[in-house]
């Protein structure tokens, strides 16, 4: 009994520490969500407090998703052409401290954001959707889900009204990009008709001999690497001794089977002639489309739009595999289609003319990847294919792919496109150097070594594009 009584102070000390840590975490998240809501409202032209209050509430709820906070409330305390002021509050339920009859603790936050002049913005989100994005961090959250969260917050911060001057295009890339099957008959596309191959006639012969394996190497657990991700596999098992043996007569058949269907799923490679793959100056040169028996590219590109629900739906719909297809990384494919999304010329001509000062419209490209290039360009068919062996030759091929990436970056910058690059949990120093070189300058490069830094990078980019700022 005495021991139990003496243990109470220790229990309360531990409990207050746990609840205290939860409190500071929830308070920080509420402040960040309030800041993001203020910035989003400041980026809009809306001044009606009722409308702003509804928008602020929706942003706060969206950005507090998953937080252990109840009774969220937000109010717009000031709104004019120059600034927005918000206050937010909520309650965090306590756990251990309920033993001391403390049920919850109140949270509050406030934010003031300065508005900026409204200008047209065109933004291409070039996002890595390769298989390596399946990896999880220490908290069990996959890279792709963190990217989706960061992208949603960016879209919510930049597009705040139905008539927003900000238009965003989405380019999910991996080894290829998907331009959408609705473009099947476009002049800039070179793709044949879908077709099928009937099975060959089945031919059977009678045989009385078989090759029998007498001994095999032992099998053992091993790993294989797919786009930098180590996966469990089984190795060994090869036959080491075999002989032909006479067996009772049996039928051995070849051919037959079912019809094989080839169709176009929207997948395209790189332009083949010369260096046409590295810029948008050859609109009459077609992009090769590939007929496959199954889909070998991911979610389709979304052209420039200010339709926020459509963009959010496309972001949520991003995938990193289709069936057994687990794609590798070819960054030039993403970069050139980011350029195409912003370009005035075909294949996509939704972009406005380039502004020599990149002011109106302000054209921006965000390139995000979680690793280095793992494929090379094949000039014969425009495909992006596996690296060669040995490793020294593969390194040379990666270097060539990196050069192509930087060539597209250089061309985009020559058109005054502002480029942000984000390295998400990238360990390869060469890949980091490439991304930093691709960016408009050092301040446009983000080395996001973990989940929170990726979210912070996208948040910072959104603030930069909005040209709004928090006032303290």
């Amino acid at each position: 009994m005495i021991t139990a009584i003496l243990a109470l102070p220790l229990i309360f000390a531990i409990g207050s520490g746990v609840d205290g840590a939860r409190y500071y975490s929830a308070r920080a998240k509420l402040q960040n969500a309030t800041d993001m809501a203020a910035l989003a409202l400041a980026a809009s032209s809306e001044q009606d407090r009722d409308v702003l209050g509804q928008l602020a509430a929706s942003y706060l709820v969206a950005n507090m998703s998953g937080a252990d906070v109840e009774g969220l409330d937000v109010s717009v305390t000031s709104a004019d052409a120059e600034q927005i002021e918000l206050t937010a509050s909520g309650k965090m339920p306590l756990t251990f401290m309920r033993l001391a009859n403390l049920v919850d603790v109140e949270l509050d936050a406030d934010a003031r954001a300065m508005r900026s002049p409204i200008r047209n913005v065109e933004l291409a989100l070039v996002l890595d959707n390769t298989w390596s994005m399946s990896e999880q961090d220490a908290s069990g959250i996959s890279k792709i889900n963190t990217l989706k969260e960061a992208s949603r917050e960016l879209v919510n911060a930049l597009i705040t009204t139905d008539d927003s001057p900000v238009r965003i295009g989405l380019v999910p890339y991996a080894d290829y990009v998907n331009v959408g099957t609705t473009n099947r008959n476009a002049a800039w596309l070179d793709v044949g008709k879908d077709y099928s191959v009937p099975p060959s006639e089945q031919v059977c012969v009678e045989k009385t001999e078989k090759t029998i394996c007498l001994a095999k190497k032992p099998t053992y657990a091993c790993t294989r690497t797919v786009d930098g991700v180590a996966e469990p596999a089984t190795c060994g098992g090869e036959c080491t001794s075999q002989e032909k043996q006479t067996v009772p007569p049996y039928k051995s058949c070849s051919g037959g089977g079912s019809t094989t269907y080839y169709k176009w799923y929207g997948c395209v490679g790189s332009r083949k002639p010369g260096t046409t793959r590295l810029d948008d100056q050859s609109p009459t040169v077609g992009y090769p489309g590939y007929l496959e028996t199954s889909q070998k590219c991911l979610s389709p590109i979304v052209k420039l739009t200010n339709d926020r629900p459509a963009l959010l739906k496309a972001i949520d719909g991003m995938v990193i595999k289709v069936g057994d297809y687990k794609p590798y990384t070819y960054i030039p494919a993403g970069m050139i289609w980011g350029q195409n999304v912003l370009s005035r010329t075909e294949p996509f001509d939704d972009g406005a003319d380039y502004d020599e000062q990149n002011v109106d419209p302000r054209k921006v490209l965000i390139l995000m990847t979680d690793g280095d290039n793992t494929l090379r360009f094949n000039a014969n068919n425009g495909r992006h294919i596996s690296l060669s062996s040995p490793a020294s030759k593969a390194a040379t091929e990666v270097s060539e792919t990196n050069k192509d990436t930087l060539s597209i970056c250089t061309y985009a910058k020559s058109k005054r496109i502002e480029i942000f690059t984000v390295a998400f949990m990238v360990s390869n120093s060469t890949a980091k150097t490439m991304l930093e070189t691709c960016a408009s300058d050092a301040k446009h490069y983000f080395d996001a070594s973990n989940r929170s830094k990726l979210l912070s990078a996208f948040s910072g980019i959104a603030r930069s594009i909005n040209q709004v700022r928090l006032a303290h």
Side-chain angles (χ1 to χ4, degrees), residues 121-124 167-170 301-307 311 341-343 348 350-352 363:
V121 175
E122 295 176 358
L123 166 64
R167 294 191 298 156
I168 299 176
L170 179 65
I301 291 173
V302 177
K303 298 193 291 185
L304 290 173
T305 180
N306 59 5
D307 186 337
L311 284 166
V341 162
L342 297 174
S343 175
F348 296 151
D350 305 274
K363 291 182 183 279

Side-chain angles (χ1 to χ4, degrees), residues 430-445:
T430 301
K432 288 184 178 182
T433 299
M434 179 189 70
L435 291 169
E436 189 168 8
T437 304
C438 177
S440 291
D441 56 41
K443 293 181 179 179
H444 283 67
Y445 167 70

Side-chain angles (χ1 to χ4, degrees), residues 199-214:
S200 59
E201 182 180 355
Q202 187 178 60
V203 177
C204 298
V205 296
E206 186 175 278
K207 292 185 175 182
T208 57
E209 281 188 340
K210 270 188 178 180
T211 299
I212 306 298
C213 181
L214 302 177

Side-chain angles (χ1 to χ4, degrees), residues 7 14 60 84 91 132 203 216 226 234 302 324 425 429 448:
I14 295 172
L60 193 71
I84 294 285
K91 293 182 179 181
S132 57
V203 177
K216 292 182 179 181
V226 180
T234 300
V302 177
D324 294 329
M425 298 176 68
S429 59

Side-chain angles (χ1 to χ4, degrees), residues 292-357:
E292 306 280 3
T293 56
S294 61
Q295 186 169 335
K296 298 293 175 60
C297 59
L298 301 172
S299 305
I301 291 173
V302 177
K303 298 193 291 185
L304 290 173
T305 180
N306 59 5
D307 186 337
R308 184 160 61 101
L311 284 166
L312 295 177
K313 181 178 180 181
I315 289 169
D316 286 338
M318 291 191 305
V319 296
I320 52 177
K321 61 171 289 192
V322 178
D324 294 329
Y325 162 65
K326 298 177 179 179
Y328 285 71
T329 306
Y330 190 76
I331 300 174
M335 275 301 298
I336 194 58
W337 281 96
Q339 173 78 47
N340 287 339
V341 162
L342 297 174
S343 175
R344 181 64 173 168
T345 60
E346 288 188 334
F348 296 151
D349 55 5
D350 305 274
D353 292 330
Y354 293 113
D355 177 7
E356 186 63 28
Q357 303 302 318

Side-chain angles (χ1 to χ4, degrees), residues 9 31 101 103 122 186 204 225 230 308 314-315 319 348 365 411 416:
Q31 183 62 61
N101 291 323
V103 178
E122 295 176 358
C204 298
T225 301
R308 184 160 61 101
I315 289 169
V319 296
F348 296 151
L365 187 151
Y411 175 76
R416 303 296 185 268

Side-chain angles (χ1 to χ4, degrees), residues 30-70:
L30 179 62
Q31 183 62 61
N32 182 66
T34 306
D35 289 344
M36 292 297 293
L39 290 168
L41 297 186
S44 74
S45 59
E46 186 62 62
Q47 294 189 36
D48 184 287
R49 284 202 188 184
D50 290 337
V51 176
L52 288 169
Q54 294 171 7
L55 291 172
S58 66
Y59 294 142
L60 193 71
V61 170
N63 289 326
M64 289 295 289
S65 175
D68 190 12
V69 178
E70 299 174 349

Side-chain angles (χ1 to χ4, degrees), residues 68-272:
D68 190 12
V69 178
E70 299 174 349
L72 284 172
D73 184 55
V74 61
S75 61
V76 179
T77 56
S78 176
D80 55 35
E82 295 182 354
Q83 66 178 19
I84 294 285
E85 291 186 14
L86 299 179
T87 61
S89 62
K91 293 182 179 181
M92 186 197 78
L94 296 172
T95 53
F96 286 97
M97 296 310 294
R98 287 177 180 264
L99 296 173
N101 291 323
L102 297 176
V103 178
D104 53 43
V105 61
E106 293 188 358
L107 305 170
D108 60 76
D110 59 75
R112 181 160 63 101
M114 309 304 293
R115 283 179 147 164
S116 64
I118 296 175
R119 295 190 179 97
N120 293 307
V121 175
E122 295 176 358
L123 166 64
L125 274 176
V126 181
L127 306 180
D128 186 336
N129 280 201
T130 55
W131 178 241
S132 57
M133 291 292 289
S134 64
E135 291 183 305
Q136 297 180 346
D137 62 19
S139 63
I141 300 175
S142 67
K143 292 181 184 178
I144 188 65
N145 282 337
T146 297
L147 176 62
K148 289 180 181 182
E149 181 179 344
S151 301
R152 285 193 300 265
E153 289 185 1
L154 181 139
V155 169
N156 283 328
L158 294 179
I159 299 180
T160 58
T161 61
D162 291 341
D163 59 348
S164 171
V166 178
R167 294 191 298 156
I168 299 176
L170 179 65
V171 183
Y173 75 93
D175 43 7
Y176 297 99
V177 298
N178 185 337
V179 298
T181 55
T182 56
N183 289 303
R184 174 104 199 209
N185 298 317
W188 47 264
L189 187 63
D190 183 10
V191 60
K193 294 182 179 180
D194 295 352
Y195 67 96
S196 62
V197 177
S200 59
E201 182 180 355
Q202 187 178 60
V203 177
C204 298
V205 296
E206 186 175 278
K207 292 185 175 182
T208 57
E209 281 188 340
K210 270 188 178 180
T211 299
I212 306 298
C213 181
L214 302 177
K216 292 182 179 181
K217 289 182 178 180
T219 60
Y220 59 94
C222 59
T223 59
R224 63 170 185 168
T225 301
V226 180
D227 194 46
V229 180
E231 298 182 344
T234 300
C235 296
E238 299 91 347
C239 186
T240 57
S241 176
Q242 60 185 29
E243 70 175 17
K244 285 187 177 181
Q245 295 182 359
T246 301
V247 296
Y250 68 96
K251 282 187 177 182
S252 174
C253 300
S254 61
S258 57
T259 300
T260 304
Y261 295 90
Y262 292 84
K263 63 179 291 186
W264 186 59
Y265 292 89
C267 313
V268 298
S270 297
R271 286 170 167 158
K272 293 176 283 186

